[in-house]
Amino acid sequence: MINNKINYKKIAIALAIVMLCPLSGCGKKQVVDYSDATEGQAEVAEDGIPQHLEYTITGEVTDVVVNADVVVPDAYRSCTVMELTKKTFETSDIEYYVDYLFDEGTDFLYMPYNKEEMAEIKGNMEPLLKQATDPKVIDAFECAMEEPESYPETEEEMFDEYRFYNMITDERCQIFGAIDGEYYVLSFYKDETNCVMMLERFDNTSPNLWLEDIEEDDYYLRTSGNICTYTQEEAEKLALDYVGVLGYDDFSVIQTNNTQSEYWFKDNDKEVAVDGYSIYLGRTYDNYSYLYSTSYCPDYSIDGHIVFGENGSYKEAVHEYIRVYVDSKGIRHMYYFNPMEEVGALSDEVAFLDFSKVQAVADERFKIIADEDIYGYHLEKNISEIRLGYGYVSDGDNRTLIPMWYFFSEIAGFSGGNNVELRINAIDGSIVLDADNVMYIEDIESLEELENLEDVEVIIDEE
């Protein structure tokens, strides 16, 4: 939720736009039978998809400038509509991964809740600390073994101290162990909204380390390059092979970013290097894969607040994806967000709505943005790429992967990642909102800007 800077009540507008969003899976849902996706589709795209679009929509407040390549998968007509269902990591999964990943006899629970458990953790870690030579590993050990002045009596108190932030709660489990002699922490987190597995090399857990995905014009990347001993192609293969061995075969690389590490030593000296790649993997069938975006595949290192709210609870739903970070030593971490499992294919013969009709829906939306600027900016918006790929629509615990048109945008004056300005269902032309069809706004006056939307439900958050 957007921070409320002017002391208005926070307001969540749940947008159930029947005319535009019948397949969003939220609000007032219409049941759609995807098992026969060709039925009732009179408009079928032939060769009417342009390679590039360039035009401007001028509004009362701002402009929307479209200067975008239009990218479609190879043999784009071969598209499988796949239904999946939500999966959580259970005790049996945790036991499997512990047995499979860790060197025999090296693992133990990592959960210092009280003095007795802290003493046990320290007893297990002290001999390992004496053997460690890497200053970053030594630092991680020392931070983990630090004796707090007092121990939290409640979960709320636990989260008041940073050193306890990643420790176990009723929704979390952490195991420490070695993989080929290298120390790792395996974590499982879940609540009613999200479920995450994280495997992190122990030096990755130091509070003195900062990681972030960077853009091509980053200073250190331009001056020193990416010093990773793996090439990008080798890193991607390593990531794919690794998750494949763990049983996740239906994934492909959807984005690879250079990743910068910033480490602060105790004497306040800083070590900065671009060493490695963040490799994002999405579920893939035939020619189609889930599309990467900074909105739907957040970089956990810098956008963890998107997933985790205050007190460690999950803040927003994130669709399924895997993020693997490979540096010069190999796999540094692997995060698997919201695992899914197949229910089955609903259709493999999809009839696509004519692109001219898709473009008309997009232009109508862009005209609203240009006239009313409902997102709160007064800057020109630039649509820099239009891409056809998979996106999720939701119905309870079930998700359906369907073809969607993604309109990626940049905002003039800002640098910024793959921002999704708009998603349109490629089968029927409906606009697809976020996972919960919720748009957050800051103040009551913003409601006046939404008068043109039909069937708007207003939910007041009193906090």
Side-chain angles (χ1 to χ4, degrees):
M1 183 172 289
I2 298 173
N3 290 331
N4 189 355
K5 299 178 180 178
I6 54 177
N7 198 29
Y8 286 108
K9 292 180 180 178
K10 296 176 181 177
I11 302 172
I13 305 299
L15 301 177
I17 310 172
V18 176
M19 293 292 290
L20 296 180
C21 307
L23 303 184
S24 60
C26 300
K28 295 184 177 180
K29 290 177 286 218
Q30 296 183 11
V31 177
V32 178
D33 184 4
Y34 283 108
S35 62
D36 190 2
T38 59
E39 183 177 348
Q41 297 293 336
E43 298 292 338
V44 179
E46 296 293 340
D47 298 320
I49 300 177
Q51 294 182 340
H52 188 85
L53 287 175
E54 187 171 350
Y55 60 94
T56 298
I57 295 177
T58 299
E60 295 180 6
V61 177
T62 188
D63 292 338
V64 176
V65 178
V66 179
N67 187 358
D69 288 335
V70 183
V71 183
V72 299
D74 294 336
Y76 78 93
R77 290 182 176 280
S78 300
C79 178
T80 300
V81 175
M82 181 67 71
E83 185 179 15
L84 304 110
T85 191
K86 186 176 180 180
K87 173 179 169 56
T88 58
F89 294 110
E90 306 296 344
T91 301
S92 58
D93 298 305
I94 295 174
E95 292 172 345
Y96 167 79
Y97 286 115
V98 169
D99 290 341
Y100 182 84
L101 291 170
F102 289 132
D103 301 344
E104 186 175 358
T106 65
D107 58 277
F108 53 84
L109 284 177
Y110 180 42
M111 47 184 221
Y113 253 138
N114 53 44
K115 291 184 178 181
E116 291 75 20
E117 289 167 343
M118 177 65 82
E120 181 179 350
I121 293 295
K122 291 177 68 175
N124 287 324
M125 286 187 169
E126 279 174 351
L128 302 178
L129 170 60
K130 292 178 180 179
Q131 300 170 18
T133 58
D134 187 331
K136 298 175 185 177
V137 175
I138 293 173
D139 176 56
F141 271 123
E142 291 177 344
C143 290
M145 297 166 62
E146 179 182 355
E147 187 77 19
E149 294 180 1
S150 62
Y151 288 84
E153 297 181 359
T154 65
E155 186 172 308
E156 288 73 19
E157 291 178 0
M158 180 181 72
F159 286 111
D160 288 338
E161 294 292 335
Y162 177 82
R163 65 176 64 89
F164 291 104
Y165 180 77
N166 280 329
M167 304 311 174
I168 195 169
T169 73
D170 292 341
E171 300 166 345
R172 302 184 179 200
C173 177
Q174 292 188 290
I175 303 97
F176 179 94
I179 300 176
D180 296 331
E182 190 82 49
Y183 305 122
Y184 280 80
V185 176
L186 178 63
S187 306
F188 295 87
Y189 302 41
K190 68 178 178 179
D191 68 359
E192 294 180 355
T193 305
N194 292 285
C195 178
V196 187
M197 176 176 72
M198 299 184 180
L199 178 66
E200 300 181 273
R201 204 165 62 215
F202 193 49
D203 61 8
N204 201 65
T205 66
S206 170
N208 296 320
L209 175 70
W210 178 262
L211 299 171
E212 66 174 321
D213 291 0
I214 56 173
E215 300 177 3
E216 295 298 325
D217 62 351
D218 176 81
Y219 170 79
Y220 291 98
L221 183 61
R222 286 189 289 107
T223 55
S224 302
N226 193 323
I227 66 172
C228 185
T229 55
Y230 293 92
T231 66
Q232 179 175 324
E233 292 74 19
E234 290 170 341
E236 290 174 348
K237 184 178 186 303
L238 182 61
L240 284 170
D241 290 346
Y242 195 79
V243 300
V245 168
L246 294 179
Y248 309 125
D249 298 319
D250 295 322
F251 285 81
S252 67
V253 176
I254 57 175
Q255 177 81 3
T256 299
N257 297 332
N258 292 290
T259 302
Q260 181 172 291
S261 63
E262 185 173 305
Y263 183 81
W264 292 88
F265 293 95
K266 292 180 180 179
D267 57 5
N268 288 326
D269 285 342
K270 182 173 70 170
E271 178 183 278
V272 181
V274 182
D275 181 7
Y277 305 91
S278 291
I279 301 153
Y280 294 81
L281 309 175
R283 193 173 286 270
T284 301
Y285 298 100
D286 298 325
N287 303 294
Y288 279 75
S289 62
Y290 182 60
L291 289 190
Y292 169 85
S293 75
T294 53
S295 303
Y296 301 114
C297 298
D299 170 11
Y300 174 76
S301 299
I302 59 174
D303 291 329
H305 62 278
I306 292 178
V307 183
F308 299 104
E310 296 178 359
N311 297 334
S313 61
Y314 292 103
K315 185 175 182 181
E316 295 181 11
V318 174
H319 286 309
E320 180 192 47
Y321 75 96
I322 297 175
R323 179 180 189 255
V324 181
Y325 177 26
V326 176
D327 67 4
S328 293
K329 295 171 69 174
I331 301 291
R332 184 162 191 160
H333 71 225
M334 181 191 75
Y335 301 156
Y336 186 4
F337 288 86
N338 286 327
M340 307 291 292
E341 56 186 2
E342 293 180 7
V343 175
L346 298 181
S347 175
D348 57 5
E349 296 181 0
V350 175
F352 291 86
L353 189 67
D354 187 272
F355 184 79
S356 64
K357 296 184 179 294
V358 174
Q359 187 178 344
V361 173
D363 288 350
E364 181 179 356
R365 182 64 175 169
F366 294 152
K367 186 65 167 64
I368 294 173
I369 292 173
D371 283 343
E372 302 190 3
D373 200 19
I374 64 174
Y375 294 120
Y377 304 113
H378 294 278
L379 297 170
E380 178 182 282
K381 287 149 181 90
N382 299 285
I383 305 302
S384 54
E385 184 181 63
I386 302 169
R387 184 177 289 269
L388 179 64
Y390 267 146
Y392 285 98
V393 290
S394 307
D395 185 3
D397 286 342
N398 283 6
R399 307 283 189 271
T400 303
L401 277 172
I402 66 170
M404 292 184 190
W405 288 102
Y406 284 69
F407 291 75
F408 292 107
S409 69
E410 298 173 355
I411 300 173
F414 291 90
S415 59
N418 267 0
N419 302 304
V420 178
E421 188 70 38
L422 183 63
R423 291 186 300 164
I424 297 179
N425 186 318
I427 298 173
D428 73 350
S430 61
I431 292 178
V432 183
L433 301 178
D434 61 19
D436 297 311
N437 273 9
V438 172
M439 178 185 297
Y440 295 104
I441 61 177
E442 287 186 296
D443 56 75
I444 293 173
E445 281 74 5
S446 297
L447 287 175
E448 298 174 359
E449 300 174 352
L450 301 174
E451 289 180 350
N452 61 301
L453 301 178
E454 298 183 15
D455 195 10
V456 176
E457 179 184 0
V458 180
I459 302 173
I460 305 296
D461 184 350
E462 299 288 352
E463 296 182 357

